[in-house]
Amino acid sequence: MKVFVTGATGWIGSATVDELLAAGHDVIGLARSDASAAALEAKGATVLRGDLDDLDSLRHGALNADAVVHLANKHDWANPAATNAAERGAVETIADVLVGTDRPFVLAAGISGLVQGRPALESDRSPAVGPDSPRGGSENLALDYADKGVRVVGVRFAPTVHGVGDHGFTSFLVAAARRHGVSGHVGDGAHAWSAVHLTDAARLVRLGLENAPAGSLLHAVAEEAVPLRVIAESIGAALDLPVAAVAPEDAAAHFGFVARFAGLDMSASSARTRDLLGWTPSGPTLAQDIAAGAYSAR
């Protein structure tokens, strides 16, 4: 297939482009900068210049591809309304192009906020509905197109997609540990996050693109629930720092931006995903990656 990929030079996007090319697909990658364009060309991908605010470029990419993988997100934490609006506009633009074609449209989503008190399941619908909700309610918006001749597949990524070069949640925990000289966890550290290695996540995107039926929700989750205490202990061992509990009222001062997530359960099952696609994660665990120096070398 000729696959149009947004976020093609991002953390998950770069690995997904590699996975798609290795499987024999042609890739059209959206690139905002000269550096991104050069990186894609070096891999053998075709470059389409543009970004999420350039709806014409998104429309062009979708029109000229057999499938779309949408992984880009503005991640403007200072202006979430702009991020949500851009995400909703991008999804709507791409989906409108694909109506009636039965072409695959794989889009990224997250585990955070789905449920509390138990691991999230693929059958759990996102509570984010409407343009003012997180990510602009893009997952539910896209699923509405499954009845309009679009093979919509949502991939919900674990809160930590880990590996060498990760700049996500785990890297923020490592940075806080370096800053304060102690690797912390909120309270007793029982809150847990799911985790997946980058290569396993990229392989799931490809499998979903190739084989998942319309309306599927897939969970890119290798480890269902890794307690924050275990993550903190792994970071402490890797950095040779003590490990300590951080009171909830002190979390913002200690963790900074990631404090709002450090006290949340963000766990999920991937049992249905594995059964549906035969996906078997084989990469290292989060603790193994931390111990091997994936984060401590920085």
Side-chain angles (χ1 to χ4, degrees):
M1 287 185 282
K2 182 183 293 184
V3 186
F4 173 46
V5 181
T6 74
T9 56
W11 172 238
I12 298 173
S14 292
T16 297
V17 168
D18 293 343
E19 176 74 22
L20 292 171
L21 290 171
H25 299 294
D26 295 323
V27 172
I28 304 169
L30 189 68
R32 290 185 299 170
S33 67
D34 292 342
S36 293
L40 288 169
E41 288 174 345
K43 292 182 176 184
T46 300
V47 173
L48 175 63
R49 295 300 293 262
D51 57 33
L52 288 190
D53 294 318
D54 182 358
L55 299 184
D56 285 340
S57 67
L58 299 180
R59 194 174 292 109
H60 178 78
L63 279 168
N64 289 280
D66 302 312
V68 178
V69 175
H70 174 49
L71 300 173
N73 191 282
K74 295 181 78 168
H75 294 301
D76 186 351
W77 302 108
N79 190 356
T83 294
N84 296 340
E87 173 68 5
R88 188 175 183 88
V91 168
E92 189 168 35
T93 296
I94 293 168
D96 280 344
V97 169
L98 300 179
V99 167
T101 66
D102 291 321
R103 294 176 187 171
F105 178 24
V106 179
L107 75 156
I111 299 298
S112 175
L114 286 176
V115 297
Q116 283 289 294
R118 63 168 175 81
L121 306 175
E122 292 92 337
S123 57
D124 290 318
R125 290 296 295 261
S126 170
V129 178
D132 297 327
S133 59
R135 301 183 74 98
S138 60
E139 181 181 278
N140 283 310
L141 173 65
L143 289 172
D144 289 340
Y145 283 82
D147 295 327
K148 301 177 182 180
V150 183
R151 184 155 68 83
V152 176
V153 178
V155 181
R156 294 167 170 170
F157 292 99
T160 178
V161 180
H162 54 87
V164 177
D166 173 26
H167 53 269
F169 285 163
T170 298
S171 70
F172 283 96
L173 298 181
V174 172
R178 289 187 186 280
R179 192 164 58 245
H180 297 285
V182 60
S183 180
H185 53 76
V186 175
D188 62 4
H191 295 294
W193 292 353
S194 57
V196 65
H197 190 264
L198 177 64
T199 55
D200 289 321
R203 188 167 71 257
L204 179 60
V205 172
R206 176 181 62 79
L207 290 172
L209 176 79
E210 295 172 343
N211 302 310
S216 297
L217 289 171
L218 309 177
H219 282 186
V221 168
E223 296 179 89
E224 184 173 295
V226 186
L228 268 295
R229 181 184 64 257
V230 172
I231 298 174
E233 290 169 349
S234 298
I235 293 170
L239 300 182
D240 194 24
L241 292 174
V243 179
V246 176
E249 60 269 23
D250 297 327
H254 183 89
F255 295 105
F257 154 77
V258 80
R260 71 185 81 174
F261 303 103
L264 290 179
D265 282 313
M266 297 191 291
S267 62
S269 167
S270 60
R272 180 175 293 187
T273 297
R274 298 180 194 221
D275 288 344
L276 178 66
L277 297 176
W279 177 64
T280 303
S282 57
T285 66
L286 176 57
Q288 288 170 339
D289 250 353
I290 294 171
Y295 298 87
S296 55
R298 298 178 211 172

